[in-house]
Amino acid sequence: MKNIQSYITENKERFLNELIELLKIPSISADSAYKTDTLKTAEAVKTSLEKAGCDHVEICETPGNPIVYGEKIIDKNLPTVLVYGHYDVQPPDPINLWDSPPFEPVIKTTEKHPDGAIFARGACDDKGQMYMHVKALEFMTSTNQLPCNVKFMIEGEEEVGSVNLAPFVKNNHEKLKNDVILISDTGMIANDTPSITTGLRGLSYVEVEVTGPNRDLHSGLYGGAVANPINILAKMIASLHDENNHITIPGFYDKVEELSTEERAEMAKAPFNLENYKKALDIDAVYGEKEFSTNERNSIRPTLDVNGIWGGYTGEGAKTVIASKAYAKISMRLVPNQEWEDITNLFQKHFENIAPEGVKVKVTPHHGGQGYVTPIDSIGYQAASKAYEDTFGKTPIPQRSGGSIPIVSLFEQELKSKTILMGFGLDSDAIHSPNEHFGIWNYLKGIETIPGFYKYFTELSK
Ligand code: BES
Ligand code: MN
Ligand code: MN
């Protein structure tokens, strides 16, 4: 029987070229100007699933971007793996910081990727990682080695909060019925240090607006006598953290799960080099909540960050003005048990409370979602771990990530199954940033590792 290594060697060029074609289509879900391209991407994913051996593939319309669903059912008595991924991408801006155009993929080597990496928006998040599953399926079907049933659900709105996926999941329990959900949309520690993501943070995303006077004013005539909304907003934002970098919103930490000393000691064993971390980001010190390590700060602790702030005059030269309004976009990363809707309400109340006289404050919630943790003693985790052992020659390290895939907790709630997060990206792959890339080694390693998951999951389910 043909093995996966030789299959990859024979098809490597084609695997790369197919991904490159997919990366050329700008499926930017945040920008309606790219609607046609986004639909084109869904069609391309559909075609790729058909070619990879799915018996039935359909484009499921939603009020937003469609969901591509595909399946290959070989025997109702065998387990079913549901693969989830997303074909939409983040906007590429700031576009001038890209070394090559975001939708014209190029291959270049980097320090972390001496064998080359594909540079393009979506290369790692998530077209490249999603497509590994398509190629792994192709291998299993074309060599008669698919050991169980498989379903694919590839959405086009992950980067904008999966608003239409939630009702789709709720209304399609039977169609999506599965024994385990498999996702490659996260990262791992390093190419020689494989890890499996066991947790994701939740999210609450809000926008705030501070209004002062009813019009922009001359900053000489009125300056000092009326509240300047930008000054006020800056002050209000600054007050959201105390001197230890704890968040000051009353009740914010009430449901935060405190890890035991043992669990923290276990976490601290994961390889991490602070000097390299600082060097990679050109910073001379890390910053964050007192009494927590960098790895804890970015995974098991909740955060509050301003993602954007604007108001007043930002054009060339100087304009003396007191703006009528100031704005900010604020995200809070949450840990399991923190209910995102509660946190949004707590934020809103607190922000309104701390507004001084002379301004009006409006808080508009955007989207959110729950965090997620998965145990390592499940059949799914064990199957993934064995698959990595085979292809990396090492047992992967379980690690909680700071990122969010809010729909994962909804999957558990609605479909009653666990999600296994087999991510093959690196933190340095610059997802959401200019010059996003995905290592060719990582892409092929993913394709190599995934069939092992199917094999071990089917065996362990017996
Ligand atoms: N794939 C990422 C999430 C991710 C990346 C998790 C790396 C862990 C490691 C996903 O596409 C994403 O960007 N999620 C958003 C949230 C979403 C609601 C916009 C995020 O984490 O900011
Ligand atoms: Mn993603
Ligand atoms: Mn993303």
Side-chain angles (χ1 to χ4, degrees):
M1 215 179 330
K2 187 157 212 87
N3 76 28
I4 181 71
Q5 283 89 359
S6 54
Y7 193 80
I8 290 174
T9 311
E10 283 160 29
N11 294 286
K12 186 179 156 183
E13 287 309 310
R14 180 172 59 83
F15 286 0
L16 281 174
N17 290 333
E18 287 176 12
L19 174 56
I20 285 171
E21 287 310 307
L22 197 61
L23 290 168
K24 285 181 187 170
I25 324 174
S27 47
I28 307 166
S29 49
D31 190 341
S32 57
Y34 293 90
K35 185 78 186 176
T36 313
D37 289 302
T38 305
L39 298 179
K40 217 173 114 188
T41 312
E43 287 294 340
V45 172
K46 174 174 185 263
T47 309
S48 74
L49 282 171
E50 284 162 349
K51 285 192 182 155
C54 280
D55 293 331
H56 165 75
V57 189
E58 61 184 307
I59 300 241
C60 306
E61 299 300 337
T62 76
N65 297 332
I67 296 156
V68 186
Y69 175 82
E71 63 178 31
K72 185 166 180 73
I73 308 296
I74 56 171
D75 179 346
K76 289 249 165 347
N77 297 316
L78 286 168
T80 301
V81 176
L82 173 66
V83 176
Y84 163 83
H86 60 97
Y87 65 80
D88 65 319
V89 302
Q90 284 279 331
D93 51 279
I95 206 123
N96 57 317
L97 294 183
W98 283 77
D99 297 329
S100 56
F103 299 105
E104 293 172 27
V106 292
I107 294 174
K108 283 187 293 188
T109 59
T110 72
E111 194 190 318
K112 294 272 163 67
H113 299 296
D115 297 338
I118 310 178
F119 282 74
R121 172 57 87 230
C124 179
D125 183 13
D126 177 44
K127 284 176 176 166
Q129 296 214 68
M130 175 272 288
Y131 208 67
M132 299 180 315
H133 288 270
V134 180
K135 293 300 100 177
L137 176 69
E138 176 197 302
F139 163 73
M140 292 185 288
T141 58
S142 68
T143 62
N144 259 315
Q145 295 182 67
L146 181 67
C148 61
N149 305 311
V150 56
K151 295 177 176 176
F152 273 73
M153 175 169 64
I154 311 298
E155 73 152 314
E157 296 185 315
E158 195 278 341
E159 300 292 9
V160 288
S162 303
V163 272
N164 293 300
L165 185 63
F168 180 79
V169 171
K170 286 183 186 158
N171 294 330
N172 287 284
H173 283 188
E174 195 48 44
K175 185 189 197 108
L176 302 174
K177 197 168 180 288
N178 66 80
D179 298 283
V180 71
I181 298 169
L182 185 58
I183 304 180
S184 294
D185 193 23
T186 54
M188 60 179 191
I189 297 175
N191 286 1
D192 61 1
T193 316
S195 59
I196 296 176
T197 306
T198 52
L200 295 163
R201 285 195 284 194
L203 185 70
S204 163
Y205 201 111
V206 299
E207 185 164 329
V208 300
E209 180 191 278
V210 176
T211 308
N214 60 4
R215 58 185 169 91
D216 286 10
L217 303 173
H218 190 288
S219 67
L221 294 183
Y222 290 92
V226 296
N228 176 333
I230 303 177
N231 293 8
I232 300 289
L233 176 60
K235 211 167 168 177
M236 288 170 75
I237 287 170
S239 78
L240 296 174
H241 290 93
D242 69 14
E243 66 284 5
N244 294 323
N245 277 312
H246 286 299
I247 294 156
T248 55
I249 300 170
F252 186 84
Y253 290 100
D254 282 3
K255 291 193 180 166
V256 169
E257 152 206 51
E258 302 288 342
L259 266 66
S260 66
T261 319
E262 294 75 44
E263 283 170 304
R264 290 179 69 183
E266 195 54 43
M267 264 191 84
K269 285 188 197 158
F272 176 74
N273 182 310
L274 187 61
E275 285 316 306
N276 291 346
Y277 186 85
K278 290 192 287 188
K279 210 173 122 210
L281 302 175
D282 272 326
I283 50 174
D284 50 23
V286 290
Y287 186 88
E289 193 181 1
K290 201 175 169 188
E291 265 139 37
F292 290 96
S293 70
T294 296
N295 272 340
E296 291 174 334
R297 287 169 179 168
N298 68 26
S299 66
I300 61 161
R301 298 299 296 168
T303 62
L304 183 153
D305 277 295
V306 178
N307 295 247
I309 182 164
W310 70 102
Y313 183 70
T314 55
E316 197 183 327
K319 178 187 179 193
T320 49
V321 65
I322 291 176
S324 165
K325 284 176 188 290
Y327 306 84
K329 290 187 192 277
I330 297 175
S331 68
M332 288 162 277
R333 295 282 168 174
L334 311 176
V335 295
N337 300 340
Q338 279 184 300
E339 299 290 329
W340 77 270
E341 276 147 329
D342 291 353
I343 295 292
T344 306
N345 287 333
L346 289 178
F347 176 92
Q348 179 153 11
K349 265 204 216 109
H350 180 66
F351 211 70
E352 287 165 0
N353 269 338
I354 61 174
E357 280 182 354
V359 297
K360 289 183 215 62
V361 162
K362 195 167 107 193
V363 177
T364 310
H366 275 281
H367 56 70
Q370 293 300 114
Y372 184 70
V373 269
T374 188
I376 64 169
D377 57 6
S378 68
I379 294 177
Y381 186 92
Q382 290 305 320
S385 185
K386 279 167 165 292
Y388 280 68
E389 276 169 34
D390 285 354
T391 56
F392 286 79
K394 281 181 185 173
T395 305
I397 298 170
Q399 201 186 42
R400 276 164 69 164
S401 167
S404 308
I405 311 176
I407 203 72
V408 171
S409 71
L410 187 111
F411 288 161
E412 175 155 46
Q413 198 185 307
E414 294 292 325
L415 305 174
K416 313 283 176 228
S417 44
K418 293 276 171 220
T419 290
I420 304 301
L421 298 155
M422 291 176 51
F424 295 91
L426 301 182
D427 283 355
S428 53
D429 288 347
I431 62 170
H432 294 204
S433 301
N435 302 316
E436 174 179 352
H437 55 278
F438 189 34
I440 291 173
W441 186 90
N442 301 65
Y443 176 55
L444 300 176
K445 206 59 168 176
I447 299 172
E448 187 187 339
T449 307
I450 291 164
F453 174 83
Y454 283 76
K455 183 178 95 180
Y456 290 121
F457 186 76
T458 308
E459 280 176 22
L460 291 170
S461 298
K462 276 177 192 151

